[in-house]
Amino acid sequence: MRTNNALQIIFAFFLGLVVVAFVGIGVNTFYPEPAYVDGRPGYAGWQLTTGVVLLVCATLILAVSLFLPEAQGVLSNGLLLGGVFTMIYAVGVTVSSTASVLRFVVVAMALAVTIAIGWLKFARRHPAVIPAAADATVPADVAARLAAVERKLDALGRALEG
């Protein structure tokens, strides 16, 4: 069965959007924004707490995306995007808060989590798997075959040079 890469990308992106919507609506359902009051003293605390909750949710979603098997790459990528979008939402809510020191700590944690997840997902090297051969000896005619290939390549190079 031939896979449709464009459809997989669209699905992963849409899954990411649905994940951030689910998390955002869930957080706002169970921890709603405070009612408007002059000066809004409780609003900065709500923003900071919401940012922390969103950061924790984003971290969990990103971690789950790392543990899905390679065969479920589309779901893994969709969750990864959902975690990234949720992280963006968390940073946005936190940055709009007025608690400067705590705001810095939350954004620093978001940066650390993003770098760690990025490294785990994209930069770490998987060890090469070399299948074990039943007989590790090299056939006797390998040297002769290799010499023949080298002669052909040399002749081809001379022919191309002119």
Side-chain angles (χ1 to χ4, degrees):
M1 177 182 205
R2 189 170 164 230
T3 60
N4 188 339
N5 290 334
L7 188 58
Q8 290 177 349
I9 292 169
I10 292 168
F11 179 82
F13 187 77
F14 181 72
L15 178 59
L17 292 175
V18 171
V19 166
V20 72
F22 176 78
V23 172
I25 291 170
V27 169
N28 286 326
T29 298
F30 296 105
Y31 187 61
E33 185 175 342
Y36 180 78
V37 179
D38 287 336
R40 301 181 83 151
Y43 191 69
W46 174 84
Q47 288 175 310
L48 191 60
T49 303
T50 301
V52 169
V53 170
L54 289 169
L55 176 68
V56 169
C57 290
T59 303
L60 292 173
I61 294 166
L62 289 168
V64 167
S65 76
L66 291 178
F67 293 109
L68 288 176
E70 291 286 328
Q72 296 179 357
V74 176
L75 292 177
S76 175
N77 290 339
L79 286 177
L80 183 72
L81 281 171
V84 169
F85 295 157
T86 305
M87 188 72 73
I88 292 168
Y89 184 25
V91 169
V93 168
T94 303
V95 166
S96 64
S97 173
T98 58
S100 63
V101 174
L102 293 174
R103 177 175 61 180
F104 175 76
V105 170
V106 172
V107 173
M109 289 183 342
L111 177 63
V113 167
T114 303
I115 290 171
I117 296 294
W119 182 81
L120 289 171
K121 182 74 172 179
F122 302 113
R124 71 177 171 180
R125 299 281 182 217
H126 297 287
V129 177
I130 301 172
D135 183 14
T137 61
V138 178
D141 65 336
V142 168
R145 289 189 289 170
L146 182 58
V149 168
E150 288 176 345
R151 282 192 304 273
K152 290 178 183 179
L153 287 174
D154 288 339
L156 181 61
R158 285 191 303 273
L160 290 174
E161 287 177 358

